[in-house]
Amino acid sequence: MNTVKLSESVYYVGAVDWNLRDFHGYTTPRGVTYNSYLIIDEKVCLIDTVKAPFARELLERISQIIDPGKIDYVITNHIEPDHSSGLPAVMTRAPHAKVLLTEQGRTGIIKHYQQNYDFQVVKEGDVLDLGCNKLQFVPVPMLHWPDSMISYLTGEQILFSNDAFGQHISTTKRFDDENELPELIYEAEKYYANILQPFGKMVVKAINKLNELPIKIIAPSHGVVWRKHIPDIVAKYQDWGHGNTVGKVVIAYDSMWGSTERMARQILDGVASTGVTGKLYKLSVADRSEVVRDMLEAGGVLIGSPTLNNGMMPTTGALMTYLKGLRPTGKIGAAFGAYGWGGGAQKAIEEMLSSSGIALEQPGISLKWVPDAAELDKCFEFGREFAHKLFNKI
Ligand SMILES: Cc1cc2nc3c(=O)[nH]c(=O)nc-3n(C[C@H](O)[C@H](O)[C@H](O)COP(=O)(O)O)c2cc1C
């Protein structure tokens, strides 16, 4: 089993989960990693653990470097089970280790595992002396759970950023410069869109705080370690955190008999005629976590559904519910779709767009049964007008 050194005293001891394809509803076509890091200083310190089925692999990696019984400290930056469910196995082999975490982390670990370890609760600014290096703790509540924390190793200047800057990607290469940057940014964008998007304000606040620290390496809890492209990923986080958008329109729709689909294609042509980039997703075949990834930087979203039982189709409803929880910022939107008699989908979508924080920039467009030539022209015009509004806004 390979051990990878990040720096003089820090080793990667995590696990690569090549076969995971669904991470609580978020698709992971490239697999996942659960990153754990071992610091060998005068004191021995483990940063986070792994998901429980990989605990044996974690302990084997640690054992190649040092007897796990010599671990003095385990830092629990986040209690979510992908990082903490390996903790009980680690504590069995390192029974004298202190577990350092926030107060929210302490109550969370007790509730998850019904174990009372030798806890040491840390707060903002607390420092743990390891010998040559010190660990400084930066709680980042709600990034993305109340217990979340980032730890910074002085001396070797490594930021253990937990879920921030993470990506779901399995690889044998642990560093950013050993992988393709566009692929990493793509996966980091998908991670941010699906997991961190609701917490943009906290992201900006945390980055401002971290800007004061000299950082040579960012070691997240998922994916590769950043050492060469730190400015690129931090700049991306600034953009995403501030809700900065580009001239792109994502059209997401579903259709039972093809009318709303024909509308969507005409609208797309209208958008494209202005030079604005358009993307089209049919929700019954699209991957929702990919759709919201594409929406992250899009300034405009257009949502379509025919009326089904006075409302929108369940696939569209699922996207809207997800989007509402993700609280996107800086976007304009509108609704479209076909109906047969009383209608209702357009209104239902517009309500969801508003409650998601997406500005209704343009009245929606609905048509009865099947679009005729004049209605298709109107759809084209609807897309063109929407793209112009977006163009004027950015
Ligand atoms: C199961 C079902 C339920 C429907 N419910 C409604 C409804 O409640 N109100 C309405 O105006 N039209 C309703 N319609 C009619 C559709 O909205 C209409 O056929 C529309 O043109 C379908 O668009 P599509 O081709 O994009 O699927 C319903 C259609 C189906 C198949």
Side-chain angles (χ1 to χ4, degrees):
M1 191 169 289
N2 300 328
T3 50
V4 178
K5 254 188 140 175
L6 265 64
S7 65
E8 193 50 36
S9 1
V10 180
Y11 295 80
Y12 179 88
V13 288
V16 181
D17 189 351
W18 289 92
N19 298 318
L20 192 84
R21 292 290 176 271
D22 183 337
F23 196 108
H24 52 56
Y26 164 159
T27 59
T28 52
R30 291 182 164 109
V32 171
T33 72
Y34 314 110
N35 297 347
S36 172
Y37 303 96
L38 185 69
I39 308 171
I40 307 285
D41 203 322
E42 286 165 31
K43 296 286 184 185
V44 177
C45 179
L46 185 69
I47 308 276
D48 290 318
T49 69
V50 294
K51 195 165 139 183
F54 294 87
R56 195 177 70 181
E57 190 175 325
L58 166 71
L59 285 160
E60 280 169 8
R61 280 188 205 276
I62 295 171
S63 301
Q64 283 181 353
I65 302 161
I66 200 164
D67 171 3
K70 294 197 168 138
I71 296 173
D72 297 293
Y73 304 110
V74 179
I75 312 301
T76 296
N77 277 327
H78 184 22
I79 64 167
E80 197 172 353
D82 50 332
H83 313 294
S84 76
S85 58
L87 184 65
V90 167
M91 295 309 286
T92 307
R93 296 281 299 277
H96 306 299
K98 259 187 192 309
V99 178
L100 279 79
L101 67 193
T102 59
E103 176 54 28
Q104 296 269 21
R106 190 186 68 83
T107 53
I109 288 290
I110 293 171
K111 192 71 178 63
H112 273 76
Y113 307 111
Q114 286 94 52
Q115 296 286 336
N116 222 337
Y117 300 124
D118 184 6
F119 293 115
Q120 183 176 327
V121 169
V122 294
K123 302 182 300 305
E124 170 93 46
D126 282 359
V127 171
L128 178 71
D129 199 344
L130 298 175
C132 298
N133 295 283
K134 291 182 173 57
L135 256 186
Q136 208 169 304
F137 301 105
V138 186
V140 282
M142 290 323 294
L143 207 79
H144 64 123
W145 278 16
D147 58 282
S148 298
M149 181 166 81
I150 284 175
S151 305
Y152 174 70
L153 191 69
T154 63
E156 289 171 24
Q157 302 180 345
I158 302 179
L159 188 75
F160 298 103
S161 61
N162 195 258
D163 281 336
F165 309 113
Q167 340 89 49
H168 281 325
I169 184 164
S170 289
T171 153
T172 53
K173 307 284 186 189
R174 296 270 60 81
F175 292 99
D176 57 350
D177 48 289
E178 299 171 322
N179 291 277
E180 296 297 325
L181 183 61
E183 216 170 70
L184 300 180
I185 296 290
Y186 184 97
E187 290 299 340
E189 181 180 38
K190 185 170 175 186
Y191 192 91
Y192 186 95
N194 283 277
I195 305 293
L196 298 178
Q197 189 171 187
F199 314 110
K201 280 196 183 115
M202 273 79 96
V203 167
V204 172
K205 219 167 117 187
I207 289 180
N208 290 341
K209 225 192 270 183
L210 298 174
N211 268 341
E212 295 158 18
L213 302 171
I215 296 171
K216 281 196 186 137
I217 290 177
I218 296 180
S221 57
H222 294 295
V224 304
V225 171
W226 302 93
R227 66 179 175 191
K228 182 170 180 211
H229 299 293
I230 292 175
D232 302 76
I233 189 63
V234 171
K236 278 290 180 191
Y237 262 62
Q238 289 275 16
D239 275 342
W240 298 334
H242 281 108
N244 295 342
T245 55
V246 298
K248 177 166 80 173
V249 175
V250 173
I251 302 173
Y253 73 97
D254 214 338
S255 181
M256 296 182 286
W257 292 106
S259 293
T260 308
E261 177 147 331
R262 289 177 70 194
M263 294 176 79
R265 288 178 178 275
Q266 281 294 115
I267 292 169
L268 178 70
D269 283 351
V271 168
S273 72
T274 65
V276 166
T277 303
K279 297 295 273 299
L280 191 75
Y281 291 97
K282 185 173 187 176
L283 292 167
S284 48
V285 292
D287 167 356
R288 196 165 48 242
S289 47
E290 273 299 326
V291 177
V292 300
R293 181 204 59 77
D294 217 356
M295 282 181 175
L296 180 65
E297 290 188 350
V301 295
L302 292 169
I303 309 291
S305 171
T307 297
L308 168 69
N309 304 331
N310 303 316
M312 67 183 104
M313 285 183 70
T315 44
T316 317
L319 175 76
M320 297 315 294
T321 301
Y322 193 46
L323 211 50
K324 186 177 167 191
L326 292 174
R327 299 201 293 264
T329 49
K331 298 190 195 312
I332 63 170
F336 65 94
Y339 67 96
W341 48 98
Q346 184 190 318
K347 185 164 171 278
I349 293 170
E350 286 173 346
E351 280 169 9
M352 286 297 274
L353 281 169
S354 293
S355 57
S356 306
I358 297 173
L360 286 176
E361 195 71 17
Q362 182 167 309
I365 181 166
S366 295
L367 58 83
K368 196 161 182 170
W369 300 122
V370 173
D372 59 26
E375 286 169 326
L376 287 174
D377 286 347
K378 276 190 189 156
C379 289
F380 182 92
E381 200 43 46
F382 176 85
R384 212 175 66 85
E385 197 187 324
F386 185 80
H388 275 303
K389 284 186 174 146
L390 176 61
F391 202 68
N392 291 334
K393 194 176 152 271
I394 54 173

